[in-house]
Amino acid sequence: MEELQTILDDIVTAARAEPDKGQVASYIPQLANIDPDQFGIAVCLAGGELVCAGDADTLFSIQSISKVFTTTIALGKLGDTLWQRVGREPSGDPFNSIIQLEHENGKPRNPFINAGAIAVVDAIMQGRQPKETLAEILAFIRWIANDEAIYIDDKVARSEVLTGDRNAALAHFMASCGRLSNNVDKVLGVYFHHCSVAMSCVQLARAAQFLVSDGVDLSTGARVLSTQRARRINSLMMMCGHYDGSGEFAYRVGLPGKSGVGGGIIAVVPDVASIAVWSPGLDKIGNSRLGTRALETLTRRTGWSVFGR
Ligand code: GLU
């Protein structure tokens, strides 16, 4: 294989030269102000070695990438009973779609669409206050990233609260079907805040390490999740991690991955590496345009796709 650093440097050079970087998310006003010309990538190898290029240390809004972490917490807490509240099938619909909910009696298709992530928050809360639940989620992310400095960007969270009518509609619809056990506004508050965690590519690649090595964080030796559940999170990312673009991502990149409308994507090469890439411009579906292209180049040049070289 070529030198990984060379591949990442080439990817950054190509991204910087690309005139069409996609559109930054504008439905969350605080994200509309982000400079689309930034690009970062970090790869954390199974042995712990970190290779990065571009703006890999710049913080950005992780948005739906946080759903991987909340789903991990929920699986750890509830085990397979989680699947009574949320399914594990790809939706084939946009991330904030309400259509399926009505057809399927308020049960979201999977934990990575907005409705599913709201159901996951409800499962994690277990009657506690939003502050306690958020503290638990943040502590978990800090633990797996091995970085106590990670924080929730309150400006982004407020921006989401003020413009969150669609998510509120999803949550109220689920509540009307008897699917939520906690107060709807409290559940939404936790959801908006966990989407607003700020992290860099380096921190995200580090945080996804446990998915590379069967649930164990090899740098600390800590078991984050059972082997079987880590495998299941990876399969959910493969099938549902990019909303109605999940098939396209599997076709082009061939790795379990999860995107967020902040322009970040994490991807996992089982037994080999975790990857985080960030480019704020999105495609029509809401996945990072150049981030996806970067991962496509990376798997082509390294042979890392899980579907073969
Ligand atoms: N907080 C965003 C929302 O609720 C997350 C969407 C995403 O990253 O895909 O719309």
PDB file of all heavy atoms in Angstrom, residues 35-65:
ATOM      1  N   ASP A  35     -17.608  28.368   7.067  1.00  0.00           N
ATOM      2  CA  ASP A  35     -16.811  28.548   5.844  1.00  0.00           C
ATOM      3  C   ASP A  35     -16.689  27.206   5.106  1.00  0.00           C
ATOM      4  O   ASP A  35     -16.100  26.254   5.634  1.00  0.00           O
ATOM      5  CB  ASP A  35     -15.428  29.079   6.274  1.00  0.00           C
ATOM      6  CG  ASP A  35     -14.438  29.082   5.126  1.00  0.00           C
ATOM      7  OD1 ASP A  35     -14.855  28.848   3.969  1.00  0.00           O
ATOM      8  OD2 ASP A  35     -13.241  29.317   5.403  1.00  0.00           O
ATOM      9  N   PRO A  36     -17.239  27.107   3.882  1.00  0.00           N
ATOM     10  CA  PRO A  36     -17.257  25.811   3.180  1.00  0.00           C
ATOM     11  C   PRO A  36     -15.884  25.374   2.670  1.00  0.00           C
ATOM     12  O   PRO A  36     -15.720  24.237   2.223  1.00  0.00           O
ATOM     13  CB  PRO A  36     -18.208  26.058   2.001  1.00  0.00           C
ATOM     14  CG  PRO A  36     -18.193  27.530   1.794  1.00  0.00           C
ATOM     15  CD  PRO A  36     -17.890  28.173   3.107  1.00  0.00           C
ATOM     16  N   ASP A  37     -14.896  26.252   2.757  1.00  0.00           N
ATOM     17  CA  ASP A  37     -13.579  25.909   2.203  1.00  0.00           C
ATOM     18  C   ASP A  37     -12.703  25.096   3.156  1.00  0.00           C
ATOM     19  O   ASP A  37     -11.537  24.853   2.857  1.00  0.00           O
ATOM     20  CB  ASP A  37     -12.835  27.190   1.801  1.00  0.00           C
ATOM     21  CG  ASP A  37     -13.406  27.734   0.501  1.00  0.00           C
ATOM     22  OD1 ASP A  37     -13.860  26.913  -0.324  1.00  0.00           O
ATOM     23  OD2 ASP A  37     -13.440  28.964   0.340  1.00  0.00           O
ATOM     24  N   GLN A  38     -13.242  24.706   4.282  1.00  0.00           N
ATOM     25  CA  GLN A  38     -12.420  23.932   5.225  1.00  0.00           C
ATOM     26  C   GLN A  38     -12.531  22.446   4.881  1.00  0.00           C
ATOM     27  O   GLN A  38     -13.561  21.968   4.407  1.00  0.00           O
ATOM     28  CB  GLN A  38     -12.912  24.181   6.640  1.00  0.00           C
ATOM     29  CG  GLN A  38     -12.900  25.671   6.988  1.00  0.00           C
ATOM     30  CD  GLN A  38     -13.522  25.918   8.338  1.00  0.00           C
ATOM     31  OE1 GLN A  38     -12.849  25.861   9.351  1.00  0.00           O
ATOM     32  NE2 GLN A  38     -14.810  26.188   8.357  1.00  0.00           N
ATOM     33  N   PHE A  39     -11.460  21.719   5.163  1.00  0.00           N
ATOM     34  CA  PHE A  39     -11.461  20.272   4.890  1.00  0.00           C
ATOM     35  C   PHE A  39     -10.448  19.585   5.803  1.00  0.00           C
ATOM     36  O   PHE A  39      -9.283  19.984   5.864  1.00  0.00           O
ATOM     37  CB  PHE A  39     -11.080  19.995   3.426  1.00  0.00           C
ATOM     38  CG  PHE A  39     -11.146  18.536   3.077  1.00  0.00           C
ATOM     39  CD1 PHE A  39     -12.280  18.005   2.478  1.00  0.00           C
ATOM     40  CD2 PHE A  39     -10.097  17.677   3.384  1.00  0.00           C
ATOM     41  CE1 PHE A  39     -12.362  16.643   2.184  1.00  0.00           C
ATOM     42  CE2 PHE A  39     -10.168  16.316   3.105  1.00  0.00           C
ATOM     43  CZ  PHE A  39     -11.306  15.803   2.494  1.00  0.00           C
ATOM     44  N   GLY A  40     -10.886  18.556   6.486  1.00  0.00           N
ATOM     45  CA  GLY A  40      -9.962  17.824   7.357  1.00  0.00           C
ATOM     46  C   GLY A  40     -10.201  16.326   7.271  1.00  0.00           C
ATOM     47  O   GLY A  40     -11.300  15.882   6.935  1.00  0.00           O
ATOM     48  N   ILE A  41      -9.164  15.562   7.552  1.00  0.00           N
ATOM     49  CA  ILE A  41      -9.311  14.095   7.568  1.00  0.00           C
ATOM     50  C   ILE A  41      -8.333  13.509   8.591  1.00  0.00           C
ATOM     51  O   ILE A  41      -7.199  13.987   8.718  1.00  0.00           O
ATOM     52  CB  ILE A  41      -9.113  13.484   6.149  1.00  0.00           C
ATOM     53  CG1 ILE A  41      -9.410  11.978   6.140  1.00  0.00           C
ATOM     54  CG2 ILE A  41      -7.727  13.781   5.578  1.00  0.00           C
ATOM     55  CD1 ILE A  41      -9.664  11.397   4.753  1.00  0.00           C
ATOM     56  N   ALA A  42      -8.808  12.523   9.345  1.00  0.00           N
ATOM     57  CA  ALA A  42      -7.946  11.853  10.325  1.00  0.00           C
ATOM     58  C   ALA A  42      -8.211  10.353  10.269  1.00  0.00           C
ATOM     59  O   ALA A  42      -9.362   9.924  10.171  1.00  0.00           O
ATOM     60  CB  ALA A  42      -8.241  12.372  11.729  1.00  0.00           C
ATOM     61  N   VAL A  43      -7.147   9.583  10.322  1.00  0.00           N
ATOM     62  CA  VAL A  43      -7.255   8.119  10.335  1.00  0.00           C
ATOM     63  C   VAL A  43      -6.553   7.625  11.588  1.00  0.00           C
ATOM     64  O   VAL A  43      -5.398   7.980  11.846  1.00  0.00           O
ATOM     65  CB  VAL A  43      -6.579   7.497   9.084  1.00  0.00           C
ATOM     66  CG1 VAL A  43      -6.642   5.971   9.158  1.00  0.00           C
ATOM     67  CG2 VAL A  43      -7.252   7.991   7.809  1.00  0.00           C
ATOM     68  N   CYS A  44      -7.282   6.844  12.376  1.00  0.00           N
ATOM     69  CA  CYS A  44      -6.686   6.271  13.589  1.00  0.00           C
ATOM     70  C   CYS A  44      -6.521   4.767  13.334  1.00  0.00           C
ATOM     71  O   CYS A  44      -7.508   4.032  13.207  1.00  0.00           O
ATOM     72  CB  CYS A  44      -7.618   6.536  14.765  1.00  0.00           C
ATOM     73  SG  CYS A  44      -6.861   6.244  16.338  1.00  0.00           S
ATOM     74  N   LEU A  45      -5.293   4.331  13.201  1.00  0.00           N
ATOM     75  CA  LEU A  45      -5.026   2.923  12.889  1.00  0.00           C
ATOM     76  C   LEU A  45      -5.267   2.056  14.130  1.00  0.00           C
ATOM     77  O   LEU A  45      -5.215   2.556  15.266  1.00  0.00           O
ATOM     78  CB  LEU A  45      -3.596   2.766  12.376  1.00  0.00           C
ATOM     79  CG  LEU A  45      -3.349   3.472  11.027  1.00  0.00           C
ATOM     80  CD1 LEU A  45      -1.865   3.573  10.725  1.00  0.00           C
ATOM     81  CD2 LEU A  45      -4.089   2.768   9.894  1.00  0.00           C
ATOM     82  N   ALA A  46      -5.522   0.768  13.899  1.00  0.00           N
ATOM     83  CA  ALA A  46      -5.888  -0.105  15.018  1.00  0.00           C
ATOM     84  C   ALA A  46      -4.842  -0.097  16.126  1.00  0.00           C
ATOM     85  O   ALA A  46      -5.161  -0.246  17.295  1.00  0.00           O
ATOM     86  CB  ALA A  46      -6.131  -1.522  14.508  1.00  0.00           C
ATOM     87  N   GLY A  47      -3.594   0.133  15.774  1.00  0.00           N
ATOM     88  CA  GLY A  47      -2.541   0.188  16.792  1.00  0.00           C
ATOM     89  C   GLY A  47      -2.530   1.513  17.560  1.00  0.00           C
ATOM     90  O   GLY A  47      -1.748   1.689  18.499  1.00  0.00           O
ATOM     91  N   GLY A  48      -3.387   2.464  17.169  1.00  0.00           N
ATOM     92  CA  GLY A  48      -3.458   3.753  17.875  1.00  0.00           C
ATOM     93  C   GLY A  48      -2.768   4.884  17.137  1.00  0.00           C
ATOM     94  O   GLY A  48      -2.936   6.055  17.486  1.00  0.00           O
ATOM     95  N   GLU A  49      -1.978   4.544  16.090  1.00  0.00           N
ATOM     96  CA  GLU A  49      -1.261   5.597  15.357  1.00  0.00           C
ATOM     97  C   GLU A  49      -2.261   6.479  14.599  1.00  0.00           C
ATOM     98  O   GLU A  49      -3.204   5.986  13.981  1.00  0.00           O
ATOM     99  CB  GLU A  49      -0.308   4.944  14.358  1.00  0.00           C
ATOM    100  CG  GLU A  49       0.649   5.925  13.713  1.00  0.00           C
ATOM    101  CD  GLU A  49       1.323   5.330  12.465  1.00  0.00           C
ATOM    102  OE1 GLU A  49       1.316   4.083  12.324  1.00  0.00           O
ATOM    103  OE2 GLU A  49       1.824   6.106  11.654  1.00  0.00           O
ATOM    104  N   LEU A  50      -2.018   7.790  14.664  1.00  0.00           N
ATOM    105  CA  LEU A  50      -2.922   8.744  14.038  1.00  0.00           C
ATOM    106  C   LEU A  50      -2.260   9.381  12.831  1.00  0.00           C
ATOM    107  O   LEU A  50      -1.118   9.834  12.917  1.00  0.00           O
ATOM    108  CB  LEU A  50      -3.229   9.815  15.079  1.00  0.00           C
ATOM    109  CG  LEU A  50      -4.472  10.648  14.889  1.00  0.00           C
ATOM    110  CD1 LEU A  50      -5.726   9.804  15.010  1.00  0.00           C
ATOM    111  CD2 LEU A  50      -4.490  11.745  15.945  1.00  0.00           C
ATOM    112  N   VAL A  51      -2.953   9.390  11.701  1.00  0.00           N
ATOM    113  CA  VAL A  51      -2.415  10.044  10.505  1.00  0.00           C
ATOM    114  C   VAL A  51      -3.478  11.046  10.062  1.00  0.00           C
ATOM    115  O   VAL A  51      -4.656  10.691   9.931  1.00  0.00           O
ATOM    116  CB  VAL A  51      -2.156   9.023   9.371  1.00  0.00           C
ATOM    117  CG1 VAL A  51      -1.448   9.685   8.196  1.00  0.00           C
ATOM    118  CG2 VAL A  51      -1.334   7.844   9.885  1.00  0.00           C
ATOM    119  N   CYS A  52      -3.108  12.316   9.874  1.00  0.00           N
ATOM    120  CA  CYS A  52      -4.122  13.295   9.491  1.00  0.00           C
ATOM    121  C   CYS A  52      -3.608  14.285   8.468  1.00  0.00           C
ATOM    122  O   CYS A  52      -2.407  14.377   8.207  1.00  0.00           O
ATOM    123  CB  CYS A  52      -4.655  14.091  10.670  1.00  0.00           C
ATOM    124  SG  CYS A  52      -3.882  13.901  12.213  1.00  0.00           S
ATOM    125  N   ALA A  53      -4.556  15.037   7.905  1.00  0.00           N
ATOM    126  CA  ALA A  53      -4.191  16.071   6.935  1.00  0.00           C
ATOM    127  C   ALA A  53      -5.273  17.144   6.920  1.00  0.00           C
ATOM    128  O   ALA A  53      -6.411  16.892   7.317  1.00  0.00           O
ATOM    129  CB  ALA A  53      -4.046  15.450   5.535  1.00  0.00           C
ATOM    130  N   GLY A  54      -4.905  18.337   6.481  1.00  0.00           N
ATOM    131  CA  GLY A  54      -5.852  19.453   6.401  1.00  0.00           C
ATOM    132  C   GLY A  54      -6.269  19.927   7.783  1.00  0.00           C
ATOM    133  O   GLY A  54      -5.495  19.870   8.739  1.00  0.00           O
ATOM    134  N   ASP A  55      -7.538  20.370   7.866  1.00  0.00           N
ATOM    135  CA  ASP A  55      -8.038  20.978   9.111  1.00  0.00           C
ATOM    136  C   ASP A  55      -8.521  19.906  10.091  1.00  0.00           C
ATOM    137  O   ASP A  55      -9.670  19.966  10.574  1.00  0.00           O
ATOM    138  CB  ASP A  55      -9.177  21.944   8.780  1.00  0.00           C
ATOM    139  CG  ASP A  55      -8.755  22.979   7.740  1.00  0.00           C
ATOM    140  OD1 ASP A  55      -7.690  23.601   7.946  1.00  0.00           O
ATOM    141  OD2 ASP A  55      -9.465  23.147   6.728  1.00  0.00           O
ATOM    142  N   ALA A  56      -7.660  18.951  10.380  1.00  0.00           N
ATOM    143  CA  ALA A  56      -8.084  17.789  11.174  1.00  0.00           C
ATOM    144  C   ALA A  56      -8.316  18.137  12.643  1.00  0.00           C
ATOM    145  O   ALA A  56      -8.951  17.361  13.367  1.00  0.00           O
ATOM    146  CB  ALA A  56      -7.056  16.670  11.055  1.00  0.00           C
ATOM    147  N   ASP A  57      -7.810  19.296  13.090  1.00  0.00           N
ATOM    148  CA  ASP A  57      -8.006  19.673  14.495  1.00  0.00           C
ATOM    149  C   ASP A  57      -9.077  20.736  14.679  1.00  0.00           C
ATOM    150  O   ASP A  57      -9.324  21.176  15.797  1.00  0.00           O
ATOM    151  CB  ASP A  57      -6.679  20.181  15.086  1.00  0.00           C
ATOM    152  CG  ASP A  57      -5.744  19.028  15.397  1.00  0.00           C
ATOM    153  OD1 ASP A  57      -6.198  18.082  16.073  1.00  0.00           O
ATOM    154  OD2 ASP A  57      -4.584  19.065  14.938  1.00  0.00           O
ATOM    155  N   THR A  58      -9.700  21.153  13.590  1.00  0.00           N
ATOM    156  CA  THR A  58     -10.733  22.191  13.700  1.00  0.00           C
ATOM    157  C   THR A  58     -12.033  21.580  14.205  1.00  0.00           C
ATOM    158  O   THR A  58     -12.453  20.510  13.737  1.00  0.00           O
ATOM    159  CB  THR A  58     -10.976  22.840  12.315  1.00  0.00           C
ATOM    160  OG1 THR A  58      -9.726  23.292  11.819  1.00  0.00           O
ATOM    161  CG2 THR A  58     -11.950  23.999  12.406  1.00  0.00           C
ATOM    162  N   LEU A  59     -12.675  22.255  15.152  1.00  0.00           N
ATOM    163  CA  LEU A  59     -13.929  21.741  15.699  1.00  0.00           C
ATOM    164  C   LEU A  59     -15.089  22.050  14.759  1.00  0.00           C
ATOM    165  O   LEU A  59     -15.134  23.111  14.145  1.00  0.00           O
ATOM    166  CB  LEU A  59     -14.211  22.391  17.059  1.00  0.00           C
ATOM    167  CG  LEU A  59     -13.168  22.149  18.142  1.00  0.00           C
ATOM    168  CD1 LEU A  59     -13.588  22.840  19.442  1.00  0.00           C
ATOM    169  CD2 LEU A  59     -12.959  20.661  18.387  1.00  0.00           C
ATOM    170  N   PHE A  60     -16.014  21.126  14.663  1.00  0.00           N
ATOM    171  CA  PHE A  60     -17.245  21.348  13.888  1.00  0.00           C
ATOM    172  C   PHE A  60     -18.403  20.644  14.592  1.00  0.00           C
ATOM    173  O   PHE A  60     -18.194  19.875  15.533  1.00  0.00           O
ATOM    174  CB  PHE A  60     -17.086  20.861  12.439  1.00  0.00           C
ATOM    175  CG  PHE A  60     -16.782  19.393  12.309  1.00  0.00           C
ATOM    176  CD1 PHE A  60     -17.790  18.457  12.189  1.00  0.00           C
ATOM    177  CD2 PHE A  60     -15.458  18.942  12.318  1.00  0.00           C
ATOM    178  CE1 PHE A  60     -17.501  17.107  12.078  1.00  0.00           C
ATOM    179  CE2 PHE A  60     -15.166  17.583  12.203  1.00  0.00           C
ATOM    180  CZ  PHE A  60     -16.197  16.667  12.085  1.00  0.00           C
ATOM    181  N   SER A  61     -19.615  20.907  14.116  1.00  0.00           N
ATOM    182  CA  SER A  61     -20.798  20.348  14.749  1.00  0.00           C
ATOM    183  C   SER A  61     -20.983  18.905  14.275  1.00  0.00           C
ATOM    184  O   SER A  61     -21.171  18.669  13.078  1.00  0.00           O
ATOM    185  CB  SER A  61     -22.013  21.207  14.364  1.00  0.00           C
ATOM    186  OG  SER A  61     -23.100  20.864  15.173  1.00  0.00           O
ATOM    187  N   ILE A  62     -20.958  17.950  15.211  1.00  0.00           N
ATOM    188  CA  ILE A  62     -20.965  16.549  14.756  1.00  0.00           C
ATOM    189  C   ILE A  62     -22.353  16.112  14.297  1.00  0.00           C
ATOM    190  O   ILE A  62     -22.497  15.144  13.569  1.00  0.00           O
ATOM    191  CB  ILE A  62     -20.409  15.570  15.813  1.00  0.00           C
ATOM    192  CG1 ILE A  62     -21.326  15.430  17.028  1.00  0.00           C
ATOM    193  CG2 ILE A  62     -19.002  15.978  16.225  1.00  0.00           C
ATOM    194  CD1 ILE A  62     -20.928  14.278  17.960  1.00  0.00           C
ATOM    195  N   GLN A  63     -23.388  16.847  14.731  1.00  0.00           N
ATOM    196  CA  GLN A  63     -24.769  16.566  14.314  1.00  0.00           C
ATOM    197  C   GLN A  63     -25.103  15.065  14.404  1.00  0.00           C
ATOM    198  O   GLN A  63     -24.912  14.476  15.437  1.00  0.00           O
ATOM    199  CB  GLN A  63     -25.004  17.154  12.912  1.00  0.00           C
ATOM    200  CG  GLN A  63     -25.030  18.681  12.949  1.00  0.00           C
ATOM    201  CD  GLN A  63     -26.191  19.207  13.773  1.00  0.00           C
ATOM    202  OE1 GLN A  63     -27.318  18.740  13.650  1.00  0.00           O
ATOM    203  NE2 GLN A  63     -25.931  20.170  14.638  1.00  0.00           N
ATOM    204  N   SER A  64     -25.519  14.458  13.299  1.00  0.00           N
ATOM    205  CA  SER A  64     -26.042  13.091  13.413  1.00  0.00           C
ATOM    206  C   SER A  64     -24.986  12.029  13.689  1.00  0.00           C
ATOM    207  O   SER A  64     -25.343  10.880  13.959  1.00  0.00           O
ATOM    208  CB  SER A  64     -26.806  12.715  12.144  1.00  0.00           C
ATOM    209  OG  SER A  64     -28.055  13.325  12.173  1.00  0.00           O
ATOM    210  N   ILE A  65     -23.725  12.394  13.630  1.00  0.00           N
ATOM    211  CA  ILE A  65     -22.702  11.404  14.007  1.00  0.00           C
ATOM    212  C   ILE A  65     -22.920  11.023  15.480  1.00  0.00           C
ATOM    213  O   ILE A  65     -22.668   9.893  15.893  1.00  0.00           O
ATOM    214  CB  ILE A  65     -21.278  11.959  13.767  1.00  0.00           C
ATOM    215  CG1 ILE A  65     -21.072  12.230  12.273  1.00  0.00           C
ATOM    216  CG2 ILE A  65     -20.221  11.001  14.298  1.00  0.00           C
ATOM    217  CD1 ILE A  65     -19.758  12.931  11.950  1.00  0.00           C
TER     218      ILE A  65
END
